[in-house]
């Protein structure tokens, strides 16, 4: 019997990893053998996961609470599962899905059922990731329609901008002089002047 490890992942630093840690503790995973990443599951380029991968040896055992904690990209989950079970020759236990316990059913039928469940759950995990992105996109679009402004708030134009702009547009002063009179960087003056020229009443 090799060593027992656990892997935890949350998508952001604000999310709580408590439930995953409790599940691993109940599975009697040593605290020093738990590796945790706080980033998206879109791929496996995660520092602690890569460190865990380097530590794993044949006959080690890896616990994860659910398949989406391992990752959310369908093809990459299947590839990593292959790397872990075939190349690293370790066992994996997905706590929330008892069928995904490679210690059991190592015969042909057990492996077949495990593969089907893994493919279905991996597909669901990736589909949920896509749905989250779509909901975010729709939410942003709905907010824009309501008039919500994104990005840094725009500074109001200087009170003398229109007069200075008219002098600049008439060729009386240079852009650098106009920007100085308005107390703005030249790049900001040109940008605001361009927009004002397209929409003078704005």
């Amino acid at each position: 019997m090799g060593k027992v490890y656990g892997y935890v992942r949350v998508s952001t630093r604000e999310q709580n990893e408590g439930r995953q840690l409790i599940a691993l503790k109940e599975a009697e995973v040593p605290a020093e053998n738990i590796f945790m990443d706080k980033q998206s599951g879109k791929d496996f380029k995660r520092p602690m996961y890569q460190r865990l991968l380097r530590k794993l040896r044949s006959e080690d055992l890896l616990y994860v609470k659910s398949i989406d904690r391992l990752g959310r990209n369908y093809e990459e989950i299947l590839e990593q599962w292959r790397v872990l079970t075939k190349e690293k020759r370790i066992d994996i236990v997905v706590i929330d899905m008892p069928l995904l316990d490679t210690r059991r059913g190592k015969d042909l039928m057990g492996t077949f059922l495990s593969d089907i469940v893994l493919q279905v759950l991996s597909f669901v995990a990736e589909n949920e990731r896509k749905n989250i992105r779509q909901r975010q996109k729709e939410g942003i679009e709905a907010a824009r329609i309501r008039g919500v402004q994104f990005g840094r708030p725009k500074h109001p134009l200087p009170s003398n901008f229109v007069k200075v702009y008219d002098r600049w547009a008439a060729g009386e002063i240079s852009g650098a002089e106009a920007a100085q009179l308005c107390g703005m960087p030249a790049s900001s003056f040109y940008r605001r002047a361009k927009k004002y020229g397209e929409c003078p009443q704005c």
Side-chain angles (χ1 to χ4, degrees):
M1 182 68 182
K3 293 183 179 180
V4 179
Y5 292 92
Y7 180 70
V8 172
R9 184 187 66 79
V10 289
S11 296
T12 68
R13 295 191 180 280
E14 287 74 31
Q15 287 184 333
N16 194 319
E17 64 277 7
R19 286 187 305 139
Q20 294 178 68
L21 291 173
I22 289 170
L24 295 182
K25 183 177 180 182
E26 289 174 351
E28 299 184 350
V29 179
E32 66 272 16
N33 287 354
I34 295 176
F35 292 74
M36 179 168 62
D37 282 307
K38 292 194 174 186
Q39 67 184 80
S40 165
K42 66 180 180 179
D43 58 45
F44 284 84
K45 295 173 184 175
R46 309 174 215 139
M48 296 308 290
Y49 180 81
Q50 292 299 322
R51 184 180 296 182
L52 168 64
L53 207 56
R54 290 192 293 271
K55 275 187 169 289
L56 291 170
R57 298 290 181 269
S58 177
E59 297 189 5
D60 284 347
L61 175 61
L62 174 64
Y63 281 92
V64 291
K65 187 172 190 305
S66 57
I67 198 68
D68 64 339
R69 296 306 88 199
L70 189 61
R72 285 190 177 274
N73 182 297
Y74 174 67
E75 291 183 357
E76 291 203 17
I77 291 173
L78 296 179
E79 172 60 15
Q80 284 302 308
W81 192 275
R82 185 194 65 77
V83 168
L84 293 168
T85 58
K86 307 299 184 190
E87 293 183 14
K88 291 287 186 178
R89 302 178 65 81
I90 71 162
D91 278 313
I92 307 175
V93 176
V94 178
I95 296 170
D96 286 354
M97 181 55 62
L99 281 173
L100 289 179
D101 182 344
T102 62
R103 296 172 302 177
R104 302 172 184 168
K106 288 185 180 289
D107 59 0
L108 186 61
M109 181 57 71
T111 302
F112 175 70
L113 288 173
S114 216
D115 285 349
I116 290 176
V117 172
L118 174 63
Q119 291 195 38
V120 170
L121 290 179
S122 299
F123 174 78
V124 169
E126 180 174 13
N127 203 47
E128 177 59 17
R129 183 171 68 92
K130 289 178 178 176
N131 287 340
I132 289 170
R133 284 208 310 264
Q134 182 62 28
R135 287 195 293 269
Q136 288 173 337
K137 183 179 177 182
E138 290 170 356
I140 290 170
E141 187 58 32
R144 282 202 176 112
I145 291 171
R146 293 197 309 271
V148 175
Q149 296 292 320
F150 294 91
R152 291 182 297 178
K154 291 181 180 177
H155 294 293
L157 288 171
S159 58
N160 65 339
F161 180 83
V162 175
K163 289 182 179 178
V164 173
Y165 171 87
D166 288 340
R167 291 181 63 195
W168 170 74
E172 296 177 14
I173 57 176
S174 68
E177 290 173 314
Q180 189 172 14
L181 287 170
C182 289
M184 306 168 68
S187 58
S188 297
F189 174 79
Y190 287 123
R191 185 175 65 253
R192 302 300 288 271
K194 182 177 184 293
K195 186 168 184 180
Y196 181 78
E198 293 170 351
C199 180
Q201 68 269 26
C202 293

